DNA sequence: CTTAGGATCGCCT
DNA sequence: GGCGATCCTAAGC
């Protein structure tokens, strides 16, 4: 294992764990891309045996990163317009990951505002498409290690209070409670019921 | 506050 | 050919 891929370089998160565990562990961690980003306040887990997952029907050209090594990115184009960021987890070949749905913007506010075309902090990174636009994430950073530049993953403080509920924007497995959030955060893409 | 429609295109059957 | 792990705007209550 290279130094850059030790657990410490990944904020101590075990990306070999099942995706719901990783999704919970990521709440409160800080993700930066070239120094721009913030605190993860909302995630969703997806798994190979999950009808809502891109990997449910097996490996394809698009979802190949999800079957690659854990601790890497999977960035795909949604609705022909919006990029979405996932963190691959489980062992290589499994096909599981965590969708990053919202950040509390902390670093590079001016750059994020310029990229987003507006200054309301609550609208910079509150949604998977919005945060990718704010952090300039696209195909160029697909399937890259999260333990190496331009990515930087920093540990959460610890003791965060979490909430959970059904995932958003899907039509299958709509009752699976694999959406996780930081309780009370103003930066969620949608409130939890 | 909630809902509806349109934008826009890569991916898979 | 149909369909999204979305977002924005406008309109209704």
């Amino acid at each position: 294992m290279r130094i850059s891929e030790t657990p410490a370089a990944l904020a101590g998160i075990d990306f070999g764990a099942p995706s719901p565990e990783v999704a919970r562990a990521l709440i409160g961690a800080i993700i930066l891309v070239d120094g721009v980003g913030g605190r993860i306040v909302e995630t969703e887990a997806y798994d190979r045996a999950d009808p809502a997952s891109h990997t449910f029907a097996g490996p394809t050209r698009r979802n190949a990163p999800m079957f690659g090594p854990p601790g890497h990115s999977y960035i795909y184009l949604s609705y022909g317009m919006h990029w979405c960021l996932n963190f691959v987890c489980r062992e290589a070949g499994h096909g599981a990951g965590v969708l990053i749905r919202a950040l509390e913007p902390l670093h590079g506010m001016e750059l994020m505002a310029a990229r987003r075309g507006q200054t309301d902090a609550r609208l910079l990174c509150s949604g998977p498409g919005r945060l990718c636009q704010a952090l300039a994430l696209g195909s160029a950073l697909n399937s890259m290690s999260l333990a190496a530049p331009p990515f930087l993953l920093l540990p959460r403080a610890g003791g965060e209070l979490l909430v959970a509920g059904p995932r958003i924007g899907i039509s299958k497995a709509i009752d699976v409670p694999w959406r996780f959030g930081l309780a009370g955060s103003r930066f969620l893409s949608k409130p939890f019921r």
Side-chain angles (χ1 to χ4, degrees):
Chain A
M1 178 183 283
R2 293 162 44 206
I3 296 295
S4 63
E5 291 173 351
T6 60
L10 290 169
I13 292 168
D14 176 15
F15 281 92
S19 52
E21 286 183 27
V22 176
R24 278 188 286 260
L26 281 168
I27 299 295
I30 291 175
I31 176 70
L32 302 177
V33 178
D34 282 325
V36 176
R39 187 184 323 279
I40 298 172
V41 298
E42 184 182 339
T43 59
E44 283 179 356
Y46 290 87
D47 195 81
R48 175 66 198 269
D50 169 11
S53 175
H54 286 175
T55 57
F56 183 65
T60 66
R61 179 183 209 83
R62 174 177 66 165
N63 68 24
M66 290 270 275
F67 289 94
H72 283 226
S73 63
Y74 165 48
I75 301 173
Y76 74 95
L77 187 62
S78 180
Y79 289 90
M81 275 167 281
H82 306 292
W83 296 98
C84 291
L85 170 67
N86 293 256
F87 292 172
V88 176
C89 55
R90 290 266 200 176
E91 69 276 14
H94 184 92
V98 174
L99 172 68
I100 309 302
R101 284 199 58 91
L103 309 180
E104 173 183 347
L106 293 176
H107 302 286
M109 303 291 288
E110 292 185 4
L111 201 43
M112 289 191 282
R115 289 165 175 167
R116 288 277 301 132
Q118 53 84 45
T119 57
D120 184 348
R122 289 191 54 171
L123 294 177
L124 290 182
C125 300
S126 295
R130 289 168 175 167
L131 75 88
C132 281
Q133 187 178 24
L135 273 57
L137 288 169
S139 60
L141 291 179
N142 187 25
S143 202
M144 305 278 282
S145 172
L146 301 171
F151 290 103
L152 182 58
L153 198 55
L154 301 172
R156 63 176 170 187
E160 286 83 359
L161 194 59
L162 303 193
V163 287
R167 293 170 293 184
I168 291 178
I170 58 174
S171 57
K172 299 162 192 161
I174 59 175
D175 293 327
V176 177
W178 281 0
R179 175 181 177 233
F180 304 97
L182 181 64
S185 172
R186 302 165 38 230
F187 299 95
L188 300 173
S189 67
K190 273 184 183 159
F192 283 76
R193 283 269 126 195

